[in-house]
Amino acid sequence: MAFFGAGALKGLMVTLGYLRRKPYTVQYPEEKLQISPRFRGNTFVWYEDRCTGCATCAKGCPLGIIKIVTHPKPNPQVGSDYQVDVFDIDTGRCMFCALCVEVCPYDALHMGADFERAVPARQDLVITVDQLREMPKKPTTQFRPQLEAIDYKGEEELEEHEAGRWSL
Ligand code: SF4
Ligand code: SF4
């Protein structure tokens, strides 16, 4: 039989029931959850020695937010690679689909795991070639079965010969 306030009491009992449960949330940033090895953060890992400057990643980006400018290396041969002068990725517009990573024929570009890149100005979200060079070489395993095969968890930095499907 219903009585005045029964609904409120029922709701309160539900709330009290949750007090006994372990919370699903954590107090970020003091505490952080373990991310998946395949995580797509808003950084990239670029191995310059693996990169030929072919710009396949730029052509494969659905948003056209990768800008690559190259010049031929001295005495270029057929099939030779190029010196990369500009490699800008506008992560302010990026949807982190990882298609640029997937299409890279040389495993030179990988998704990174960092996500704490809040900046006051949108233009500061553009990752430049110099920033790419400096970023920690800790790729995620997104589209990288060779890294999953060695159970790589992103804890240590990888050299260029360790990141690709073949050694340089
Ligand atoms: S992750 Fe997707 S949107 Fe972002 S740069 Fe790569 S291809 Fe473009
Ligand atoms: S990162 Fe890969 S796809 Fe992009 S220019 Fe370098 S080799 Fe080509």
Side-chain angles (χ1 to χ4, degrees):
M1 195 171 108
F3 58 90
F4 182 72
L9 187 61
K10 199 172 163 188
L12 188 60
M13 294 308 289
V14 171
T15 305
L16 288 174
Y18 275 93
L19 285 179
R20 294 200 311 271
R21 296 190 190 180
K22 191 172 180 296
Y24 293 105
T25 52
V26 297
Q27 291 297 318
Y28 177 85
E30 289 79 16
E31 197 181 341
K32 293 176 185 173
L33 296 171
Q34 178 76 36
I35 60 169
S36 162
R38 286 190 190 179
F39 184 66
R40 289 175 284 177
N42 70 353
T43 54
F44 292 84
V45 177
W46 181 53
Y47 290 97
E48 189 168 7
D49 287 347
R50 301 194 73 88
C51 180
T52 60
C54 65
T56 305
C57 51
K59 292 168 201 155
C61 174
L63 301 179
I65 57 171
I66 301 179
K67 179 181 177 185
I68 293 184
V69 177
T70 60
H71 70 267
K73 285 183 174 173
N75 307 315
Q77 306 294 314
V78 173
S80 181
D81 54 348
Y82 290 79
Q83 178 65 42
V84 177
D85 302 319
V86 176
F87 197 143
D88 289 352
I89 308 177
D90 186 355
T91 60
R93 295 180 55 214
C94 180
M95 59 181 174
F96 311 106
C97 61
L99 286 175
C100 52
V101 170
E102 186 177 358
V103 298
C104 176
Y106 303 103
D107 289 359
L109 191 64
H110 307 250
M111 296 305 294
D114 192 9
F115 54 90
E116 296 173 309
R117 290 186 58 239
V119 288
R122 197 175 179 89
Q123 60 267 28
D124 293 340
L125 287 169
V126 176
I127 298 175
T128 65
V129 68
D130 289 331
Q131 290 171 335
L132 273 177
R133 286 186 179 116
E134 296 299 318
M135 281 180 173
K137 304 300 185 209
K138 292 182 177 180
T140 76
T141 63
Q142 179 71 22
F143 286 118
R144 294 291 176 251
Q146 71 272 25
L147 300 184
E148 291 196 330
I150 60 170
D151 203 22
Y152 179 66
K153 298 278 192 295
E155 284 154 3
E156 71 279 1
E157 298 203 36
L158 294 183
E159 303 283 336
E160 58 271 350
H161 66 275
E162 299 171 303
R165 277 165 283 184
W166 66 94
S167 297
L168 286 174

